[in-house]
Amino acid sequence: MQFREEAGQRAAPRSVWCFAALLGVAAPTAVLLAIGGGAAAPTIALGLMTAAMIGAAISGSLRTGTLLGIANGVWLATLSVAFDIVPIGNILLSAFAALVASLSFAARGALFARSSGRRGWLIAFAVALGEAAILISAASDPGLWPHWLLVLLPAQWASLAFEDALAGTGLVSAAAPLAALAVTALATLFVRQLWPRRWTYLIMFTTWLAMAALVWQASSPEAKRADAEPGKSAGSSQEAGATGE
């Protein structure tokens, strides 16, 4: 049954693949060229997510979705460098983020394929469209959505990781979103492996909330200020000590 289902996914009409390419590749490319560096990180994250998740849902293959996500991430990153939209400060971190994010999103698409068969790509499309709408509107109006809502979205986790990679910061600052993507990928694959046992969704749901809390804690405004101003805090302490003397 599993083999027949995956074979049906691979035999999806060419129009479905064309639609996925339009949504996952052409649309992010146009957005990146039109808006520029201000939306580079979320655009790369959304393009990668769409290619990996919908690709895996159409093909029923985790490997196919992961490779498509990586390829699209490389394309969008190369485009950013070629057109001087934004430099990639940390190439190794960018590559690692693309790998982890692609695997995480492909796992979701593969689960949709397993649970919904040939209609799995429609679920993947709906999820991608919903997360894209929130992230794009948040990029255009940073105060539109509350912070707690944004960190519930795996696409936001990938966006934060790519933001750190483009800025050239180290792995430590991107550790929380990357860990969230990796752990949720494992939980999703666990659910897929044990399908149709529905109780495993509770594990995935709990893991998702726990990882969202981790990202929320690491990306809160207070945490960002503490990471951005360590020298300032030290300098203030020294000045206070000198004044006291």
Side-chain angles (χ1 to χ4, degrees), residues 78-96:
T78 302
L79 190 70
S80 300
V81 175
F83 285 87
D84 292 327
I85 296 174
V86 63
I88 298 181
N90 193 325
I91 296 178
L92 291 179
L93 180 57
S94 300
F96 183 63

Side-chain angles (χ1 to χ4, degrees), residues 41-202:
T43 301
I44 294 175
L46 290 171
L48 186 150
M49 177 190 70
T50 304
M53 188 163 58
I54 297 182
I58 295 174
S59 65
S61 170
L62 176 69
R63 180 183 301 177
T64 299
T66 302
L67 292 177
L68 288 174
I70 293 174
N72 201 30
V74 170
W75 158 250
L76 293 174
T78 302
L79 190 70
S80 300
V81 175
F83 285 87
D84 292 327
I85 296 174
V86 63
I88 298 181
N90 193 325
I91 296 178
L92 291 179
L93 180 57
S94 300
F96 183 63
L99 173 62
V100 174
S102 296
L103 179 60
S104 184
F105 294 131
R108 296 170 70 187
L111 175 59
F112 296 149
R114 175 69 62 84
S115 61
S116 301
R118 295 185 179 184
R119 297 181 180 179
W121 74 271
L122 290 173
I123 300 176
F125 164 71
V127 172
L129 189 63
E131 295 197 26
I134 295 178
L135 257 65
I136 292 174
S137 59
S140 60
D141 185 2
L144 181 62
W145 302 104
H147 181 61
W148 65 264
L149 176 61
L150 291 175
V151 298
L152 289 175
L153 305 178
Q156 173 69 359
W157 305 348
S159 178
L160 291 173
F162 282 118
E163 184 178 323
D164 290 326
L166 295 176
T169 56
L171 180 61
V172 174
S173 60
L178 288 177
L181 289 167
V183 173
T184 51
L186 293 175
T188 304
L189 291 175
F190 177 72
V191 175
R192 178 175 180 261
Q193 184 66 27
L194 294 183
W195 176 263
R197 296 178 178 89
R198 304 296 182 91
W199 63 267
T200 54
Y201 276 102
L202 180 61

